[in-house]
Amino acid sequence: MFPGNFEYVRAGNLKEALTLLSGEDCKALAGGHSLIPLLKQRLAQPAKLVDISGLDELKGVTVEAGKARVGALTTHRELAASEALQGAAQVLSEAASKVGDPQVRNRGTLGGNIAHADPASDLPAVLLALDAEVSIVGPNGSRSTKADGFFSGLMDTDLAENEVISHVEFSSLGAGDASAYCKFEHPASGYAICGAAAVIRGSEVRLAFNGVAAVPFLASAVGDSLSGSDLSDAAIDSALSALEHDDPLSDLHASAEYRLHLAKVYGGRALRAARDRRG
Amino acid sequence: MSVFGASIKRREDPALITGKGKYTDDLVRPGMCFAAIVRSPHAHARIMSIDTSEAATAPGVIAVFTGQDLVRGEAGGVVPTCWLLPNLVTPDHPILAKDLVRHVGDGVAVVVAENRYQAHDAAELVEVDYDPLDAVTDVVAALEPGAPQVHAEAEGNLAFDWDLGDKEKTEAAFSQAAHTVSVDLRNSRLIPHAVEPRGALAEWDDAKGELTVWVTSQNPHVHRLLMTLASIGLPEHKIRVIAPEVGGGFGSKIHHYPDEAIAAWCAMNTGRPVKWVATRSETNLTDAHGRDHASHAEMALDAEGRIIGLKVETKAAMGAYLSTFAPSVPTYLYGTLLSGQYDIPAIHVRTLGAFTHTTPVDAYRGAGRPEATFLIERIMDLGAAKMGLDPGDFRRKNFIAPDAFPYATQVALEYDSGNYGPALDRALEMVGYQALRDEQAERRKSGDGKLLGIGLSTFIEACGLAPSQVVGSLGAQAGLWESAKVRVHPTGTITVYSGSSGHGQGHETTFAQIVADRLAVDVDQVEVVQGDTREVQFGMGTYGSRSAAVGGSAISEAVDKVIAKGKKIAAHLLEASPDDIVFEDGAFHVQGVPAKTQAWGDVVLQAYLAHNYPDDLEPGLEETAFYNPANFTYPFGAHIAVVEIDRDTGHVELRQYACCDDVGNVINPMIVEGQVHGGLAQGIGQALWEEAVYDDYGQLLTGTLMDYALPRAHMLPSFDTDRTVTPCPHNPLGVKGVGEAGTIASPAAVTNAVVDALSTFGVEHLDMPLTSEKVWRAMNQSGNGQG
Ligand SMILES: Cc1cc2nc3c(=O)[nH]c(=O)nc-3n(C[C@H](O)[C@H](O)[C@H](O)COP(=O)(O)OP(=O)(O)OC[C@H]3O[C@@H](n4cnc5c(N)ncnc54)[C@H](O)[C@@H]3O)c2cc1C
C-alpha cells in the first residue's frame, strides 16, 4: 500500500515542533507505528509530517518525591524495561511489555499511543487506573488534563491539532500498593480485545478497561465497592458481577456480550494479581 | 552415508536469508514503468461509465486502459478454467471487467505510470460510476431460489452438480444400519497469504514480436500455455515465462490470474516494460481463496461399529469466476478421498459448485483433501462416541487391513500400499495417550479451570498429481506427467532441467541429491534449473505434493538414460559389448572383470571429445525423460492434538502436537520436517484462527492482517514429529510427497481435541475457526456439563 504525497520535516526542539505544527494540515510523527499504517491505507493524508522523534526533552522516566513523570516519546520498550516503574507503576511496564511485538515496542511511544487513542490500545486504561495527568503544550503555552477527561471518543481526544503531549504524570505507588495489567489479545492484531488495569493504592482500588468500549473507561462502581474491602475473591467477584457498560464494542472477533464477559474475567484476574502482589 | 536420505542444508538458503534472492519485484528492466489496477469496491454492480480523463493527465501517467481496451483479435482478454466437469457452466472471466463487476477486487481499469506511487495516485483518479446490485456471498444462500445471480448463464448460481460412488448401494447400506451418525459442517474460507505477494513484470520486444513475462508462478509453462490459448493469444514460441525466486504459493500461484495478462497487455500497448505487484490488501482480495464448503454427512454402522456406508452432500463455493483448476478441487480432489484410511463398502458423494460474489476459490495447500479429511475425521469421532469406543480403537477397527493392498475404494482410487496401525500406535505413544486420558478424567473430576482435550486424525492423501490417464478421464484437459533433462558437461558436472517449479520447497537441494546419489558424484557438482520456459522443456510445475514423486522420478528416469548412454560409451572405450557393462560406485566396468574399468569422468569427457566413435554412437551426454506416474501416491499418518481450554473465556491453547507421517522414502529428512512444520502451522491456523469473512454486501471483513488471524510462531507449540516408511511401490524413488500432509491432517486433529474437551457439555461439533467466543458460547449454551 502506498501513502499519498506528503512533506516531511524533522523538528530540532519542542519550540520548533510547535511552530511547524501550527501550519496547515500538519501531523506530528513519533514512532510512526499508528500513523504510518493510516497513511498507507490513505485513511490519513496530511500535507506535512513533523517528525518529533528526536526531541530528547520528551523522553524518559523519572520518579521523584512521590511523583512519576514519563516523557511522551518514551518507547514501549523503555517503559517495559524501566526499573523505576517496577515500583512506581508496575501496571504501566506490564502493559507496555504486552504491546505488539519487539519492533513495535522499540519504535512506538506512550504519547503516540494515547494521542492515537485506538480503543484497543493498552496504555489508556493504565493511565485511567493510575489517575494520571496528561501534560500538553501548544502555541499558547502548556496545560494539563486528567486522563479521565482526555479520551473523548472513538480515536478522539482532548488534544488540538497543533498541540503536543509532553509527558504524563502520576503519584507513584508506595509500599503496600500494587498494580497489574491483564490482557486478552486479538488473535490477528495482538491488540486488546479486553485489557484490564488494576491499581490498589492504600485502601483505594481503581480498575479501568481498554478494548471493551469505544473509549477506555474507569469502572468506578467496581473500584468504589472494592475500596476499603478485604479484596477477597468473593468481594472481587461480587463487585464485578455488577459491571456494566451501555455500549460495548462488537465485531467479528468478540460480540458485545462476550466483551463484557471478558471484562469481568480479566478485571478479576487483574485485581487478584494486584492484590497478590501487595507486600 | 548415502546423499539420498541425508539432511544436507538447503543450498537455496544463504542467498534467500541474506536478502540476495531475486524475486519478481527485485527485477529491473530498462525503461520499466508500473501498473496499478483499479478494483471494484462493490461485490456486484453494473459499470455505468468509466472516466479516465483525470487519471490520464496526472503526473507520470503513461496510459490508462479499461476492459473495453484490452481485447484484440480472436484470442485474448479472458482467463480460462482448465478442468472441465460434465455440464460445467463456464462463464467468461475477462481480465478487466467490461459491464459487470462480480466481487470486491474485480479489476476495472489499469493505470500505467513512471513509478508505482504515481500509478497508485492516478488509480484513485479513475472515476467509475457503478450501479450497485444485490450480492450473495454465502455458498448455501447462493443456491437458494431467488438468490442474486452471479452469471446469467449459470441458473441458480449452479456451476456444476457432480457425484461419485454408488448411490443405491449406499442407500441400501443405510437401510441395514444398526446405528447412524450425521453432521452438518462448514469448512471455512481461507486466504493463502504467501509471504511474497503476487506480481508480474512484462516486456515486449516489438522487433521480434516476443513477450517475456516474469511472474510469481508455480508452473510457468502452464502460464505460458494459457496466455497463448486464452489471455494473450500470441503463439507459444513467442512468449517466454520466467518464475524467478517465488516466495511461497500454497497453490495460490498455480492459477492464471488476470493481473499478469494485464501487465502483458500494458507492455504490448505501451512498448515499455511494465511491472505490477499486488499490495498485501490486493492479495487478500484477489489471490484465489481456499475451501468454503458446507456439507452434510451421514455414516452408517453395523452393530459392532464397523462402517457400512457413508453419504456426503457438499456445497462448494467457486467464487465469482471459475479459477484455473477450481472445479477439480471439491470434486476429484475431494470426493475421491472420502474413504480415508477406512474400509467403507458403500460411499456416495454429491457436490454442488456455486458461484458467489466473492473472490474465486481454487486449490490451496491440500486442495480438496483437507476438506475430505476434516469431514471424515470429524464423523469418525461421532461414530466412536456413538459406539462408546475410544476414537483410536474405533479407527483401528475400521482401518483397511495391511494385507488388503492394493485396495480399491468406492470412490475411484486404488490405494497402492499402506499400513495404518503402526503410525497410529506410534503417535499415541508419542503423546503419552493413556496418561493424557487419565489426566483428563482427573481434571474433570476436580472441576479444573482448564479443560483438557485430545484429538486424533488418521488421514490419507492422494499426492503425486497425477496419473495422466486417470485425471484425463476425470476432466483434466491435460495429463499431469513431469519432465526432466539431465545434461552432463564434459568435465562431469551436471545441470538438471526440471519441469517442476519450486517456490520454497528446496528442489535445488533435493533434486541434486537424487542425481548425486544415482551417479555417485559430489552433490555440489549438480545444478538444478527450473522455472523458465526458454531453458526448460515443457513441465507441469509444483503443487499437489508432486515434485519429488513425479518431478523427482522424471529426473531419475533421465539419469537411467544417461547411465545407459554412458554404458555405450564405456563399451566403446573398453572394447566390450554395452550389455556387459555395469555402472557401480561411479565407474563403468565390464561385468565380472573389475579391472576393465572406465571412470565416470573419462566416459563423460569422451562423450564430448568423441572423435573415434562408431557410426551408431551419438556424441554428447544429455537425456530427457517425460515421466507419467502409474498411480497417485498415498502418504498417510496419524496426528494427535492436545488442547487446554480456559473455562472462563473459551480460549483454546494448543498444548502439544505429535504426528507420525508416512511419506515413503525420504530424500532429505530436514526438508521433510520443515514441510510438516509449515503444513501444521497452516492447518492449525485454519482450526483455531483463520477465516475469510464477508458481510452481506460482499465486503471482505478480514481484508487485512489486523483481522485475518494468521498463526505466528508464539501461538504454536514445539511439534513432535516422527515417521514410518512404507515406500511407494510404483515410482523409482519410492517417495510419496510431503508438502500437504500437515495441512491435511491437522484441522481435524485440533477440532477433534476441542470437541473432546467440550464433550461433557454435550458438544458434538463446532465449525472452524474455534474462536474463544465460539467455544465460550458452546460451554454456556449447550448441555448441562460440569463446571
Ligand atoms: C503491528 C502493530 C501492533 C501493535 N500492537 C499494539 C498493541 O498490542 N497495543 C497497543 O497499545 N498498541 C499497539 N500498536 C500501536 C503502537 O503502540 C503505536 O506505537 C502507538 O499506538 C503509536 O505510537 P507512535 O509513537 O508509533 O505514534 P505515531 O504513529 O507516530 O503517531 C500516532 C498519532 O499520535 C500523534 N502523536 C504522536 N506523538 C504525539 C505527541 N507527543 N503529542 C501529540 N500527538 C502525538 C500523531 O500525530 C499521530 O496522530 C501496534 C502497532 C503495530 C504497527
Side-chain angles (χ1 to χ4, degrees), chain A residues 1-5 41-42 45 184-191 251-255 257-258 261-262 265-266 269, chain B residues 116-117 120-121 124 279 281 646 648-649 651 689 693 701-702 705-710 712 714-715 772-773 776-777:
Chain A
M1 288 189 289
F2 301 95
N5 269 321
Q41 293 179 74
R42 301 194 173 206
Q45 301 207 32
F184 187 85
E185 278 184 22
H186 187 295
S189 71
Y191 275 85
D251 59 30
L252 204 56
H253 294 276
S255 66
E257 183 190 1
Y258 183 58
H261 169 75
L262 286 178
V265 173
Y266 275 78
R269 289 181 183 178
Chain B
R116 63 181 91 203
Y117 303 95
H120 281 269
D121 284 345
E124 289 213 321
T279 65
S281 318
D646 184 332
D648 292 333
T649 64
H651 180 75
W689 305 295
V693 182
L701 297 178
T702 51
L705 289 170
M706 296 292 278
D707 297 296
Y708 187 91
L710 279 186
R712 278 165 282 173
H714 77 272
M715 296 153 92
S772 306
E773 177 162 7
W776 174 72
R777 288 194 179 279

XYZ file of all heavy atoms in Angstrom, chain A residues 1-5 41-42 45 184-191 251-255 257-258 261-262 265-266 269, chain B residues 116-117 120-121 124 279 281 646 648-649 651 689 693 701-702 705-710 712 714-715 772-773 776-777:
487
model
N 0.839 -1.193 0.000
C 0.000 0.000 0.000
C 0.870 1.237 0.000
O 1.945 1.236 0.564
C -0.901 -0.034 1.213
C -1.976 -1.082 1.030
S -3.198 -0.995 2.297
C -2.258 -1.606 3.663
N 0.385 2.252 -0.632
C 1.228 3.417 -0.853
C 0.551 4.678 -0.358
O -0.562 4.999 -0.752
C 1.526 3.557 -2.338
C 2.209 2.338 -2.879
C 1.485 1.335 -3.484
C 3.576 2.185 -2.714
C 2.116 0.197 -3.948
C 4.219 1.049 -3.171
C 3.486 0.052 -3.795
N 1.216 5.415 0.537
C 0.633 6.662 1.028
C 0.561 7.703 -0.080
O 1.286 7.607 -1.074
C 1.615 7.110 2.111
C 2.874 6.376 1.864
C 2.528 5.127 1.104
N -0.309 8.670 0.103
C -0.315 9.810 -0.802
C 0.937 10.662 -0.555
O 1.741 10.372 0.324
N 1.080 11.689 -1.340
C 2.250 12.563 -1.175
C 2.183 13.354 0.119
O 1.118 13.783 0.536
C 2.299 13.580 -2.324
C 3.114 13.032 -3.472
O 4.140 12.373 -3.255
N 2.645 13.287 -4.679
N -2.881 3.273 4.219
C -4.251 2.953 3.805
C -4.974 4.181 3.294
O -6.143 4.108 2.949
C -5.029 2.352 4.977
C -4.507 1.006 5.389
C -5.280 0.448 6.563
O -6.416 0.014 6.424
N -4.683 0.475 7.737
N -4.280 5.284 3.278
C -4.841 6.575 2.839
C -6.050 6.975 3.680
O -6.948 7.670 3.211
C -5.168 6.554 1.342
C -3.920 6.254 0.512
C -4.086 6.542 -0.955
N -2.783 6.380 -1.626
C -2.419 6.997 -2.742
N -3.238 7.815 -3.337
N -1.231 6.794 -3.265
N -4.300 11.666 5.194
C -3.460 12.208 4.117
C -3.024 13.619 4.460
O -3.373 14.567 3.763
C -4.215 12.190 2.776
C -4.661 10.815 2.349
C -4.792 10.690 0.823
O -4.074 11.315 0.058
N -5.725 9.864 0.388
N -6.468 -9.767 27.154
C -6.954 -10.816 26.260
C -6.719 -10.308 24.849
O -7.338 -9.343 24.408
C -8.442 -11.088 26.509
C -8.959 -12.265 25.727
C -8.825 -13.549 26.234
C -9.568 -12.095 24.497
C -9.296 -14.646 25.520
C -10.040 -13.182 23.774
C -9.902 -14.474 24.296
N -5.810 -10.967 24.160
C -5.354 -10.456 22.860
C -6.262 -10.838 21.716
O -6.796 -11.943 21.682
C -3.977 -11.048 22.540
C -2.848 -10.336 23.182
C -1.507 -10.900 22.746
O -1.432 -11.539 21.674
O -0.538 -10.688 23.490
N -6.347 -9.945 20.775
C -6.978 -10.251 19.500
C -6.057 -11.212 18.748
O -4.857 -10.953 18.637
C -7.119 -8.936 18.737
C -7.897 -9.025 17.479
N -7.474 -9.754 16.393
C -9.075 -8.474 17.119
C -8.366 -9.636 15.426
N -9.349 -8.874 15.844
N -6.601 -12.314 18.226
C -5.698 -13.300 17.627
C -4.986 -12.790 16.380
O -3.911 -13.275 16.056
C -6.624 -14.471 17.285
C -7.994 -13.885 17.216
C -7.999 -12.732 18.174
N -5.559 -11.839 15.682
C -4.899 -11.336 14.473
C -3.992 -10.164 14.793
O -2.810 -10.172 14.485
C -5.944 -10.913 13.436
N -4.522 -9.148 15.410
C -3.765 -7.899 15.554
C -2.901 -7.898 16.799
O -1.948 -7.136 16.881
C -4.731 -6.711 15.621
O -5.421 -6.720 16.858
N -3.223 -8.706 17.779
C -2.488 -8.671 19.039
C -2.916 -7.529 19.939
O -2.470 -7.418 21.071
N -3.772 -6.639 19.446
C -4.318 -5.568 20.295
C -5.253 -6.168 21.346
O -5.604 -7.348 21.276
C -5.111 -4.582 19.434
C -4.297 -3.499 18.769
C -3.670 -3.732 17.554
C -4.175 -2.247 19.349
C -2.932 -2.728 16.937
C -3.444 -1.235 18.729
C -2.824 -1.483 17.528
O -2.105 -0.493 16.921
N -17.673 -6.852 17.311
C -17.147 -7.077 15.970
C -17.001 -8.572 15.732
O -17.430 -9.385 16.549
C -15.833 -6.317 15.747
C -14.760 -6.728 16.743
O -14.777 -7.887 17.193
O -13.913 -5.881 17.082
N -16.364 -8.876 14.613
C -16.169 -10.242 14.181
C -15.574 -11.133 15.269
O -15.881 -12.305 15.377
C -15.176 -10.174 13.013
C -15.168 -11.271 12.008
C -16.543 -11.426 11.412
C -14.159 -10.882 10.924
N -14.691 -10.568 16.053
C -13.923 -11.399 16.977
C -14.509 -11.457 18.370
O -14.162 -12.331 19.151
C -12.478 -10.926 17.024
C -11.787 -11.148 15.724
N -11.217 -12.353 15.391
C -11.640 -10.357 14.645
C -10.727 -12.279 14.163
N -10.974 -11.084 13.689
N -15.368 -10.533 18.695
C -15.970 -10.561 20.021
C -17.239 -9.718 20.009
O -17.198 -8.530 19.704
C -14.992 -10.022 21.063
N -18.335 -10.356 20.342
C -19.598 -9.627 20.440
C -19.587 -8.761 21.692
O -18.726 -8.912 22.561
C -20.755 -10.629 20.535
O -20.643 -11.326 21.772
N -21.632 -8.855 24.145
C -21.877 -9.696 25.320
C -20.596 -10.384 25.786
O -20.288 -10.437 26.986
C -22.928 -10.754 24.938
C -23.345 -11.644 26.075
C -24.196 -12.833 25.595
O -24.424 -12.954 24.374
O -24.602 -13.629 26.444
N -19.863 -10.908 24.813
C -18.631 -11.615 25.156
C -17.580 -10.650 25.710
O -16.875 -10.948 26.660
C -18.119 -12.332 23.909
C -16.880 -13.164 24.129
C -16.858 -14.198 25.070
C -15.725 -12.932 23.386
C -15.725 -14.976 25.255
C -14.585 -13.711 23.556
C -14.592 -14.725 24.496
O -13.462 -15.496 24.672
N -18.337 -9.948 29.201
C -17.965 -11.122 29.986
C -16.453 -11.151 30.211
O -15.972 -11.382 31.328
C -18.427 -12.400 29.266
C -17.856 -13.647 29.869
N -18.308 -14.162 31.067
C -16.847 -14.452 29.457
C -17.600 -15.242 31.362
N -16.704 -15.446 30.402
N -15.698 -10.887 29.129
C -14.230 -10.884 29.267
C -13.785 -9.821 30.264
O -12.828 -10.015 31.015
C -13.564 -10.618 27.912
C -13.577 -11.773 26.907
C -12.928 -11.315 25.599
C -12.849 -13.003 27.455
N -14.014 -11.273 33.605
C -12.971 -12.267 33.859
C -11.611 -11.579 34.018
O -10.886 -11.822 34.986
C -12.905 -13.294 32.711
C -11.716 -14.230 32.888
C -14.206 -14.081 32.627
N -11.291 -10.705 33.065
C -9.959 -10.085 33.104
C -9.854 -9.018 34.184
O -8.781 -8.811 34.758
C -9.549 -9.582 31.705
C -8.937 -10.731 30.949
C -9.748 -11.719 30.379
C -7.569 -10.907 30.912
C -9.200 -12.828 29.771
C -7.010 -12.019 30.295
C -7.821 -12.968 29.726
O -7.268 -14.064 29.141
N -9.008 -11.020 37.069
C -7.623 -11.507 37.050
C -6.648 -10.374 37.399
O -5.667 -10.584 38.116
C -7.288 -12.104 35.686
C -8.017 -13.429 35.499
C -7.733 -14.117 34.163
N -8.561 -15.328 34.095
C -8.604 -16.162 33.061
N -7.869 -15.923 31.987
N -9.370 -17.235 33.099
N 5.599 3.572 -9.164
C 4.425 2.915 -8.582
C 3.580 3.879 -7.744
O 2.393 3.675 -7.577
C 4.817 1.663 -7.812
C 5.691 1.859 -6.618
C 6.013 0.510 -5.979
N 7.235 -0.088 -6.516
C 7.507 -1.377 -6.479
N 6.660 -2.223 -5.962
N 8.634 -1.838 -6.960
N 4.217 4.918 -7.230
C 3.458 5.883 -6.437
C 2.518 6.672 -7.344
O 1.350 6.883 -7.037
C 4.424 6.814 -5.681
C 5.372 6.030 -4.813
C 6.631 5.675 -5.260
C 4.963 5.586 -3.550
C 7.486 4.909 -4.472
C 5.800 4.825 -2.758
C 7.065 4.487 -3.229
O 7.876 3.721 -2.450
N -0.376 4.488 -8.359
C -1.421 4.352 -7.333
C -2.170 5.664 -7.110
O -3.384 5.662 -6.887
C -0.823 3.812 -6.027
C -0.613 2.328 -6.063
N -1.569 1.439 -5.651
C 0.424 1.586 -6.511
C -1.122 0.201 -5.827
N 0.089 0.256 -6.347
N -1.440 6.790 -7.167
C -2.121 8.078 -7.029
C -3.137 8.271 -8.157
O -4.279 8.671 -7.921
C -1.107 9.236 -7.068
C -0.336 9.372 -5.754
O -0.779 8.788 -4.752
O 0.703 10.060 -5.756
N -6.458 6.342 -8.134
C -7.527 6.940 -7.329
C -8.358 7.942 -8.119
O -9.455 8.311 -7.698
C -6.935 7.647 -6.105
C -6.380 6.709 -5.068
C -6.554 7.252 -3.655
O -6.391 8.470 -3.482
O -6.864 6.456 -2.754
N -0.386 -5.177 -3.691
C -0.217 -4.804 -2.293
C -0.798 -5.953 -1.468
O -1.521 -6.807 -1.985
C -0.977 -3.513 -1.958
O -2.384 -3.771 -2.106
C -0.572 -2.368 -2.865
N -3.106 -5.834 0.694
C -4.579 -5.764 0.679
C -5.125 -6.328 -0.626
O -6.178 -6.972 -0.650
C -5.067 -4.326 0.795
O -4.324 -3.639 1.744
N -9.555 -22.586 28.392
C -9.830 -21.773 29.576
C -11.346 -21.777 29.810
O -12.115 -21.268 28.986
C -9.306 -20.350 29.307
C -9.461 -19.434 30.514
O -10.380 -19.646 31.328
O -8.657 -18.482 30.612
N -13.131 -20.092 31.688
C -13.755 -18.773 31.848
C -13.952 -18.039 30.529
O -14.871 -17.239 30.391
C -12.878 -17.878 32.736
C -12.846 -18.367 34.170
O -13.824 -19.023 34.596
O -11.838 -18.107 34.855
N -13.043 -18.254 29.589
C -13.077 -17.431 28.375
C -13.296 -18.229 27.094
O -13.575 -17.639 26.053
C -11.746 -16.681 28.199
O -10.708 -17.649 28.011
C -11.435 -15.816 29.399
N -10.891 -19.644 25.598
C -9.636 -19.570 24.854
C -8.997 -20.956 24.756
O -8.842 -21.652 25.758
C -8.678 -18.604 25.545
C -7.365 -18.479 24.851
N -7.217 -17.778 23.680
C -6.147 -18.984 25.139
C -5.960 -17.850 23.284
N -5.289 -18.583 24.147
N -7.854 -20.114 14.096
C -7.884 -18.657 13.938
C -8.351 -18.132 12.594
O -9.015 -17.108 12.517
C -6.473 -18.093 14.215
C -5.934 -18.488 15.530
C -6.424 -18.126 16.754
C -4.812 -19.350 15.787
N -5.661 -18.692 17.755
C -4.673 -19.443 17.188
C -3.904 -20.031 14.971
C -3.667 -20.203 17.789
C -2.909 -20.782 15.566
C -2.797 -20.872 16.958
N -14.082 -13.693 6.040
C -15.495 -13.428 6.315
C -15.982 -12.254 5.468
O -15.325 -11.210 5.417
C -15.709 -13.087 7.808
C -17.186 -12.850 8.099
C -15.180 -14.206 8.697
N -14.540 -8.643 5.360
C -14.306 -8.055 6.685
C -12.908 -8.396 7.205
O -12.423 -7.775 8.131
C -15.355 -8.554 7.678
C -16.794 -8.156 7.356
C -17.755 -8.749 8.379
C -16.943 -6.638 7.313
N -12.316 -9.410 6.618
C -10.993 -9.836 7.075
C -9.952 -9.530 6.002
O -9.165 -10.380 5.627
C -10.987 -11.340 7.372
O -11.538 -11.998 6.215
C -11.823 -11.682 8.575
N -4.323 -8.086 7.779
C -3.792 -8.974 8.821
C -4.129 -8.483 10.221
O -3.822 -9.141 11.206
C -2.277 -9.123 8.651
C -1.901 -9.961 7.428
C -0.412 -9.880 7.149
C -2.335 -11.403 7.607
N -4.802 -7.343 10.321
C -5.325 -6.917 11.613
C -6.588 -7.705 11.962
O -7.015 -7.732 13.114
C -5.678 -5.425 11.588
C -4.487 -4.521 11.383
S -3.364 -4.543 12.796
C -4.204 -3.381 13.881
N -7.210 -8.296 10.950
C -8.471 -9.006 11.174
C -8.386 -10.481 10.812
O -9.127 -11.290 11.334
C -9.584 -8.365 10.339
C -9.817 -6.939 10.769
O -10.221 -6.738 11.920
O -9.543 -6.022 9.974
N -7.539 -10.782 9.854
C -7.380 -12.177 9.438
C -6.238 -12.750 10.267
O -5.102 -12.298 10.169
C -7.064 -12.247 7.950
C -7.046 -13.665 7.427
C -8.193 -14.251 6.901
C -5.884 -14.435 7.482
C -8.183 -15.556 6.439
C -5.872 -15.738 7.015
C -7.020 -16.291 6.494
O -7.015 -17.581 6.034
N -6.551 -13.726 11.098
C -5.577 -14.171 12.097
C -4.705 -15.300 11.573
O -5.095 -16.454 11.577
C -6.300 -14.611 13.370
N -3.529 -14.941 11.113
C -2.558 -15.953 10.707
C -1.839 -16.466 11.947
O -1.572 -15.704 12.864
C -1.506 -15.332 9.787
C -1.825 -15.141 8.315
C -0.565 -14.656 7.603
C -2.328 -16.420 7.676
N 1.147 -17.369 14.274
C 2.534 -16.907 14.406
C 3.275 -17.855 15.344
O 2.650 -18.606 16.094
C 2.547 -15.478 14.925
C 2.316 -14.499 13.769
C 1.963 -13.125 14.239
N 0.566 -13.074 14.644
C 0.004 -12.029 15.227
N 0.709 -10.962 15.484
N -1.272 -12.056 15.548
N 4.745 -17.811 18.119
C 4.491 -17.899 19.551
C 3.129 -18.516 19.867
O 2.834 -18.822 21.019
C 4.624 -16.516 20.212
C 3.448 -15.616 19.988
N 3.346 -14.793 18.889
C 2.322 -15.421 20.703
C 2.201 -14.126 18.952
N 1.558 -14.489 20.037
N 2.289 -18.693 18.846
C 0.976 -19.287 19.097
C 1.014 -20.813 18.971
O 0.001 -21.486 19.179
C -0.042 -18.711 18.099
C -0.259 -17.200 18.275
S -0.770 -16.384 16.737
C -2.550 -16.448 16.870
N -12.363 -18.111 20.604
C -12.677 -18.145 22.032
C -14.168 -17.951 22.261
O -14.784 -18.652 23.064
C -11.909 -17.049 22.748
O -10.543 -17.162 22.458
N -14.737 -16.991 21.544
C -16.153 -16.729 21.797
C -17.009 -17.927 21.410
O -17.962 -18.287 22.125
C -16.633 -15.481 21.043
C -18.133 -15.256 21.258
C -18.623 -13.866 20.925
O -17.841 -13.066 20.385
O -19.800 -13.576 21.220
N -16.638 -20.472 24.096
C -17.291 -19.992 25.312
C -18.813 -20.172 25.200
O -19.470 -20.659 26.113
C -16.934 -18.518 25.518
C -17.655 -17.845 26.647
C -17.442 -18.042 27.979
C -18.702 -16.880 26.517
N -18.292 -17.240 28.698
C -19.075 -16.520 27.843
C -19.353 -16.273 25.446
C -20.073 -15.571 28.099
C -20.341 -15.332 25.704
C -20.694 -14.995 27.012
N -19.346 -19.826 24.043
C -20.797 -19.998 23.853
C -21.170 -21.474 23.920
O -22.207 -21.839 24.488
C -21.240 -19.402 22.515
C -21.209 -17.900 22.526
C -21.952 -17.250 21.375
N -21.850 -15.804 21.533
C -22.608 -15.077 22.349
N -23.567 -15.644 23.060
N -22.423 -13.768 22.456
